[in-house]
Structures are given as structure tokens and as C-alpha cells.
Amino acid sequence: MCYAFCMTTLFNLQSLSKSYGSQELFKDLTFTISKGDRIGLIGLNGCGKSTLLKILVGQESLDSGELAAKRGLRVGYVAQSCEFLDISPKEVVIAAMGADIPEYDQDRQAEMLLEKLGFTGMEESAAKLSGGWKKRLSIAVELIKHPDVLLLDEPTNHLDLEGIEWLEKFLKGEALTYLLVSHDRYFLEHATNRIIEIDKTYKDGSFSTSGSYQDFLLHKQKFMDGQLEQEKRMAGKVRRETDWLRAGVKARSTKARSRIDASDELFSDYAEIKRRNKQTETKIDFVTTDRETRKLITVKNLSLTLGGRELFRDMNFMLSPGSRLGLMGPNGCGKTSLLKMLCEELQPGTGTIKKAEGLKVVYFDQHRMQLPLHLSLKDALCPNSEYVNFRGSKIHINAWAKRFLFSPESLPMPLSTLSGGERARITIAHLMLQPADVLLLDEPTNDLDIKTLETLEASLLEFPGAIVLITHDRCMLDRICNSILSFNNPEKIEMFADFSQWKNSIKLAETPKKSKSFVKPVISGSKKKEIDRVERKIAKLEKELEELNKELETSAVMNNPAALADICKKISVLEGKIGDQYLLWGTLES
């Protein structure tokens, strides 16, 4: 089948369907991707979001449907995780370049792009970069290919708060068309202009709206209200048709047969809309010990030094029932180390941690249980038994699986076939079976879909014990935490009332303060004239450089190797002159 493309349509998806064995990911998925779209793709874990991206980039095949792309379309793809060889980031980017970039210009273009992405040029090994910087490098690898559309799968996963905010600003500042999979609600609000949700709740398998994530929520609520109203109207018709059929009408006349056929269709449509309106969500409910003690954990003058580096000193706080403490600070500042001290996996350097007698502490590790991937879902949820013991009651494995949105039919499936979010739900299922006074949660939101995130938040708000939370999900921090412990200054650990107050304090700290004692040095008239002359010279040279760069991009130059070489040589000379003028300017200023 062929599709007529308008000038801006990049992808046209018509009735796409994909299954793995008996597990249907999505069915009859239909939408378009146009130039300028900044799409956020959302949906439950396991609904096929990552698979759809792989289909768009050609790494997976369709079961049915038609996928048409604009002729010559260049597609970039940034996967959830990325690993690199033990070479410099610049070498990684150069290796990814296409043949259209001449060899003599590769260094310059790689350096310019990496600088835009925050690299200093001092990084020696791409293999040794942190997860956040590997994410930036993987974006650079795709951008150097000048894609028409960029596909990003969970780009904020495992990024710290600074990295997430950087990515928001970067995507806003670039004239990019992209489709990204994310469960970060604040990120979706700030980085997208269209939301598409894959969900069997919708008749066509998906729901799409233009605007922000908040706009999407409003439109979705109106749609769901309308669909519920439609079900009510159909219920009345079904009752009337049922009564008519029970009256024993025989299909002797053509009119009667026609009405019976219409009734069958009505019953089928009604069953379908009831199925779509039946909302399912993960049932998360942590077991508490109902302890009445007010002082659960008291921390006094706590300090920690690891590897010769002081992480924090003189930390003081107390956890009581209802305390929901968020830990904020850059990666490596000691947040996870504090959780490990609270659950006695790590000993403090100095200071004391006093716990109530018989205190029950449950720790959610960000690296989670490393369950063997060949293990079946049934054995992972309920090993060696057909029942789990929850709050003193035995629950059959089928019912327990349904609480976490797993069907009984999926229980024999190996964990290797599950998404990261589905495996995260298994970990939460294990935590729910442990009675707790204090929950220590280290990045519990990673990989979870939005619906499960909202259910988890509601459960944490209802949890009567104390919570200590590490997360980069700003929406969860805003909703859950009633106090924030800041690790931004290791010599002064500060407590804030909420996430907003902490965020405002960071902004104030970043604002340059004018020193009252500073007196601007007096510059002589002749030196001032010389500085003005150098500044005018820099402006003139930079204008010439801008014109040359524009000329470099014209087809007349790009298709003429001699002209291309000449322009590049002029650019190189100009950049050298500009550098010399800046050195002179700096000398005069100092």
C-alpha cells in the first residue's frame, strides 16, 4: 500500500500490530509523525513502546499493518542503555560520521557538537563515563548523522536531576523532531508538544493530543467521561433488546431477523466498551507493624568519609511515623550510603543512629534483586508455592499476579521476555510482603509506567510509617516529601520544608552575588580605546566566520571539492585570528 506524503509527514503508521507469542503488545496502532513534532509516547509497561521504536528504526518487524516513511528519511535512535569502546568521546563521534563529512573537517564538527552537549574535551575514555554522560554521548552519536527524526527510549532513566534539567533545555533549544518514551511527568510537560498513549482502553489502541502533558490529562479525562456515558446509553438499549428477545420473538419475518442480528452486534459492542472502560492498575499496599513509637530513628552528628573523601559531616534528623524525607544532591554525594547506614549495611564514620526497639526497616535497592532471567514469572512472584502470605491471609498466585497487572496466562513466561518496568513491579511485590516501620527507597521510579507511579505515590501517602526517598522524579518529590535533606554542601547538611523550597535555595545559590567591597578598576583612556578596537575586530571576524559557515552549507560549495577545501581553509585561518584577538583582549582586561 502506498501513502501520499505531505511535505511535513515523516512517518505514517496504519493499523500496526505486534505480539510476542501469546502476549499482544499493541493492535491497530495508527498515527503520523510530522516535522516539528516533539512527541511523548506513554503507556503501561509491556505495552510495546520500546518495541515500536525498534520497529520505526528497522530493528524489529511488524506482525501486520503498514509503516510508510518519507523517501530518504534519516532516523536517529538512542536506546535505553549504551556502552562504548575504550576510546575518547571525540573518536566515538567521528566513527559515527557519514561519508558526507570530509575527513579534514571531522575533528572540528565533532568538537563543536560535543562542546554543545557539555563535554570539555578532557574526557579520555567513553567506556569510563557515567551513565548520564554516556547518554549525552549517545545523543551526540545520533545528532552527528543529522537525523530528520530522533527516537529516544527513556532518555531520563538513571540521570540525576541536573542531567534531566540539562536534557530538557537542550531539546528545547534544538530544532529537532523527536519521539521519546518517558514516564517522567515533569519532563513530558516541559519537553513535548504532543502526547500519544498506547492503551487498550481506547478503541483504536491509542489516544493522541497536541499540547503539554497537562493538556493531555484534561483531554483524556473528557474522552473517558464520554466513553463512560456511551456505555450507560448502550446499557439501556441492551436491557430493552434483552427483554424483547426474552419475549420469545421468532425470526420468521425479515424485520425480526434483522433486529436479532442488530441485537447481536449491540451486545458485542457493549461488551467491548465495558472491557475498555474497566480500568486496571497495580495494587500497591505496604504492610505496616502499626507501631505507635514516635521516635523511629534518631540520627545525631553523623559523618561519613569514603575513599579518602568526606561525603558529609554533622548530620542530624529524626524519623517519626508520617515522616517522608527526600534526599537531594548530586550523584556521589552520599545519599545511597546514608540509606545503607540506616539499614546497617554500612557503618558510620562518626556519630550515632539510634533505632526504636524491634524496628522493621525495608530497603528498596536501586539495583534491585538480580533475579535469573530464565526464571518464570510464577517462580519470581511466588517461589515454591501456589500461595503468598499477605497480611495473615493466603492469596493464590493468580490473584497475586493480577494485583501487579500480570495475567495468569503469563505466569510461565521467563523474566527475559518482560520489560524493565514489569521486573520492577516484581520487586515491589516482594517488598509488600515484608512488614515495615520505615521504608528506604532508592530510585523506586526507574522503569515504572505513569499509572504504576501514581499508584505507588498514593500508597506511599497512605503509609503510616516513615519513608526516606531518593528519586529524580520531581513530580514524586513534590507530592510525597514533607521534608528535604540537602547534600549539596558536605560541610553544611541542610533541611528544607519541601522540594520547592529546596529548588529555590539552589537557584539563589547559583545567582552571582555582587560584592559591596568590589571596586571596578580604573582603565586608562588609551587602554580603553585599545580594548574597544579589539572588540570591534572580534565582532568583524566573527561576522566573516558566520558568512563562511553559511557559504559552506550551500550546494554549490558542497558539490565542489576544490571550493569546499578553500572555504574550510579560510574558516581555519579565521578561527585562529579570532583566538589571537581573544587572547589580546584578555591581556588588556587583566
Side-chain angles (χ1 to χ4, degrees), residues 5-22:
F5 275 79
C6 67
M7 288 297 290
T8 58
T9 303
L10 305 179
F11 273 116
N12 196 329
L13 290 69
Q14 292 288 329
S15 302
L16 303 192
S17 298
K18 179 68 177 180
S19 300
Y20 282 128
S22 61

Side-chain angles (χ1 to χ4, degrees), residues 388-401:
V388 297
N389 193 326
F390 181 64
R391 292 190 167 184
S393 300
K394 284 189 174 182
I395 300 178
H396 191 268
I397 178 60
N398 288 353
W400 188 243

Side-chain angles (χ1 to χ4, degrees), residues 1-6 9 12-14 65-71:
M1 183 182 295
C2 295
Y3 295 96
F5 275 79
C6 67
T9 303
N12 196 329
L13 290 69
Q14 292 288 329
E66 295 289 340
L67 172 63
K70 185 179 178 181
R71 188 185 300 276

Side-chain angles (χ1 to χ4, degrees), residues 435-453:
D437 300 302
V438 179
L439 293 175
L440 307 177
L441 306 174
D442 194 352
E443 295 293 355
T445 65
N446 282 347
D447 303 315
L448 293 180
D449 59 66
I450 290 173
K451 188 175 285 188
T452 305
L453 275 175

Side-chain angles (χ1 to χ4, degrees), residues 541-555:
L541 291 173
E542 287 183 337
K543 182 68 175 175
E544 290 177 23
L545 182 62
E546 183 182 346
E547 294 300 323
L548 283 174
N549 278 317
K550 287 181 181 177
E551 192 176 348
L552 186 67
E553 295 174 358
T554 62
S555 56

